[in-house]
């Protein structure tokens, strides 16, 4: 049942992408070549903006943080190309879907850099949204009279494999804890999800021990999730 739900969600994502392209102003041009040139121009503009934002943010960081940024930025190009040149978008002979995907993914990366790496004041309780910049999002929030809760959702890989998990947020004083669902389940249980969390200043490391039943085959919950300051 979970597998069928994931397939349905992947279909919805693909359909949404095709609908967005159909409604795009570039698609109103007469020929496919004109449309492609229009989409390509838009992509080049997005890529230029990304490079400018990246360079400016690097200048504002300490040497240590600059190295951290470089480490997380290097693999992103491969991630973008793998996603946009994958089976969800490669069926279009004109290449327009791939170009549009790269444009959108590039804009998302620019937004990520602005939100995460324009370092600001980090709340003591850590409440807020975090992202790993590769399709993973972690949110900590508190409802009145209840403990802090977390929601973890991912969209991974060229076929947009999905996953989601949530629960109460109860790290120890060192910021470490192991969470499982069902409680105290064993990794060898196919219906068990075990996640290890480690909190740092403005970031949370997540290690997935066993959660294959809760996400698509190419998805994963693990990652380095950084706080979104904006």
């Amino acid at each position: 049942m979970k597998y069928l739900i994931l397939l349905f969600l992947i279909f919805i994502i693909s359909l949404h992408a095709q609908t967005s392209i159909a409604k795009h102003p570039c698609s109103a041009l007469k020929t496919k070549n004109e449309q492609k040139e229009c989409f390509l121009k838009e992509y080049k503009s997005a890529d230029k903006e990304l490079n400018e934002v990246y360079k400016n943010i690097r200048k504002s960081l300490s040497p240590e943080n600059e190295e951290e940024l470089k480490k997380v930025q290097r693999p992103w190009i491969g991630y973008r190309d793998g996603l946009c040149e994958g089976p969800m978008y490669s069926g279009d002979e004109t290449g327009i879907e791939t170009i549009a995907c790269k444009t959108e993914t590039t804009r998302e990366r620019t937004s990520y850099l602005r939100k995460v790496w324009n370092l600001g004041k980090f709340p003591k309780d850590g409440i807020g949204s975090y992202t790993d910049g590769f399709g993973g999002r972690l949110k900590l929030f508190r409802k009145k009279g209840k403990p802090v809760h977390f929601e973890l959702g991912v969209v991974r890989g060229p076929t947009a494999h999905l996953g989601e998990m949530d629960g109460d947020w109860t790290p120890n004083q060192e910021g470490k804890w192991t969470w499982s669902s069902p409680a105290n389940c064993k990794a060898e249980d196919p219906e068990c999800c075990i996640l290890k969390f480690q909190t740092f200043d403005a970031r949370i490391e997540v290690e997935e021990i066993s959660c294959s039943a809760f996400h698509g085959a190419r998805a994963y919950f693990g990652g380095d999730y950084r706080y979104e300051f904006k």
Side-chain angles (χ1 to χ4, degrees):
M1 183 64 180
K2 291 178 182 176
Y3 178 72
L4 292 176
I5 292 174
L6 289 172
L7 285 178
F8 174 73
L9 290 174
I10 290 171
F11 169 75
I12 292 298
I13 291 173
S14 177
L15 184 62
H16 173 72
Q18 294 173 10
T19 303
S20 298
I21 291 174
K23 292 182 178 180
H24 194 283
C26 290
S27 297
L29 297 176
K30 291 183 178 180
T31 69
K32 286 294 183 180
N33 284 337
E34 289 177 320
Q35 293 175 18
K36 186 174 182 178
E37 284 300 315
C38 180
F39 278 104
L40 192 58
K41 182 179 179 180
E42 193 174 64
Y43 165 65
K44 289 179 179 179
S45 176
D47 189 55
K48 181 180 179 181
E49 182 183 12
L50 171 66
N51 290 328
E52 290 174 351
V53 169
Y54 177 67
K55 289 177 182 178
N56 289 334
I57 289 178
R58 280 185 58 182
K59 292 177 183 178
S60 70
L61 298 175
S62 66
E64 181 181 357
N65 284 328
E66 183 182 5
E67 283 302 311
E68 284 295 314
L69 173 58
K70 288 164 66 176
K71 286 180 183 178
V72 300
Q73 186 67 6
R74 287 190 190 109
W76 175 78
I77 295 177
Y79 163 80
R80 179 199 63 193
D81 292 348
L83 173 66
C84 297
E85 295 172 7
M88 280 188 66
Y89 302 98
S90 60
D92 175 21
E93 294 181 357
T94 66
I96 288 176
E97 288 187 9
T98 292
I99 296 170
C101 172
K102 287 185 176 182
T103 301
E104 181 62 25
T105 307
T106 299
R107 287 173 174 165
E108 289 174 357
R109 190 63 177 184
T110 302
S111 176
Y112 162 81
L113 292 176
R114 284 175 168 152
K115 290 180 178 179
V116 173
W117 290 94
N118 277 319
L119 305 180
K121 186 177 181 181
F122 180 65
K124 291 182 179 180
D125 58 9
I127 297 295
S129 296
Y130 299 73
T131 176
D132 67 355
F134 294 92
R137 300 191 67 83
L138 173 64
K139 183 179 180 181
L140 302 184
F141 60 95
R142 179 188 286 112
K143 293 184 178 180
K144 188 175 181 180
K146 294 185 178 182
V148 176
H149 200 77
F150 79 88
E151 290 180 350
L152 181 57
V154 297
V155 181
R156 307 285 197 192
T159 49
H161 283 219
L162 311 174
E164 59 181 22
M165 184 53 63
D166 70 281
D168 289 336
W169 181 256
T170 55
N172 60 24
Q173 291 184 345
E174 289 76 32
K176 297 180 180 180
W177 67 300
T178 300
W179 179 90
S180 63
S181 178
N184 302 315
C185 63
K186 303 298 182 182
E188 56 268 22
D189 182 351
E191 294 298 319
C192 178
C193 180
I194 302 176
L195 300 172
K196 286 188 176 182
F197 295 89
Q198 170 72 70
T199 61
F200 300 91
D201 288 339
R203 70 184 182 92
I204 299 172
E205 287 185 1
V206 180
E207 179 185 358
E208 178 180 329
I209 305 301
S210 173
C211 293
S212 58
F214 296 87
H215 56 61
R218 295 185 181 180
Y220 53 90
F221 290 127
D224 188 14
Y225 293 79
R226 295 176 180 268
Y227 187 78
E228 293 184 333
F229 289 97
K230 294 184 178 181

